Amino acid sequence: MDAESSPNYRGDPVSEWPGLHVSIFDGSPLPVVMVTGARHVVHYVNPAFCHMMGRSKDKLIGNTFAEIMPGEGWLPSLTRVYRTGEAETHMEPENPEARSVYWSYTVWPVSGANESPVGVVFTVTETARFHQQATAVNQELMLAVVRQHELTAQLQHEIAERKR
């Protein structure tokens, strides 16, 4: 059994990760988490990710991603990106039954010195606001179309009455 497959593995991948990740992602408004190895051990989280999760950096780092992130829909993507080295982007309903709130995430690999994957970066973009705005615009357009049909019908009725 290697160190990473041990259930107590908390990783020490700092030497394998680029040092710029803190300065790049700490100021991002998007939640970002970096995980290492096939078990997806959390190595880094930015303040936006901590805010989204409602937990401090200390409570997140060192756990597996499965331990901190609700649901399992993202796991196949993390595993695929780690194994293939190919980035993926997804947009899914937060609640498939309601089909009302959407979120998207992007996962991309990070390679070590020997070009083999050492982990992945997981970035969340909540798109609910865009979806809500698009829905509101569509509703307004439908109301305008209905009102236009009502006005047209009323005008046609008035014209027909005048001809009698």
Side-chain angles (χ1 to χ4, degrees), residues 100-102 126-141:
S100 61
V101 179
Y102 290 81
E126 189 171 322
T127 57
R129 188 176 319 144
F130 172 77
H131 179 72
Q132 290 168 347
Q133 288 172 344
T135 299
V137 167
N138 285 338
Q139 288 173 344
E140 291 297 322
L141 286 171

Side-chain angles (χ1 to χ4, degrees), residues 25-116:
F25 294 122
D26 268 358
S28 173
L30 301 175
V32 177
V33 58
M34 294 179 171
V35 297
T36 58
R39 290 186 57 240
H40 313 302
V41 176
V42 177
H43 167 70
Y44 165 83
V45 291
N46 74 345
F49 188 84
C50 292
H51 178 72
M52 178 184 82
M53 297 302 295
R55 294 169 73 185
S56 71
K57 188 179 285 194
D58 294 338
K59 299 283 185 193
L60 298 170
I61 292 176
N63 293 298
T64 65
F65 199 62
E67 292 172 322
I68 66 165
M69 191 69 157
E72 295 179 1
W74 44 262
L75 185 58
S77 182
L78 280 179
T79 301
R80 230 179 355 264
V81 169
Y82 180 73
R83 287 186 181 152
T84 67
E86 295 180 26
E88 294 186 12
T89 299
H90 295 275
M91 183 172 156
E92 301 176 2
E94 185 176 282
N95 180 350
E97 291 80 34
R99 300 242 182 241
S100 61
V101 179
Y102 290 81
W103 67 292
S104 66
Y105 59 90
T106 302
V107 183
W108 69 91
V110 175
S111 298
N114 64 358
E115 299 299 317
S116 64

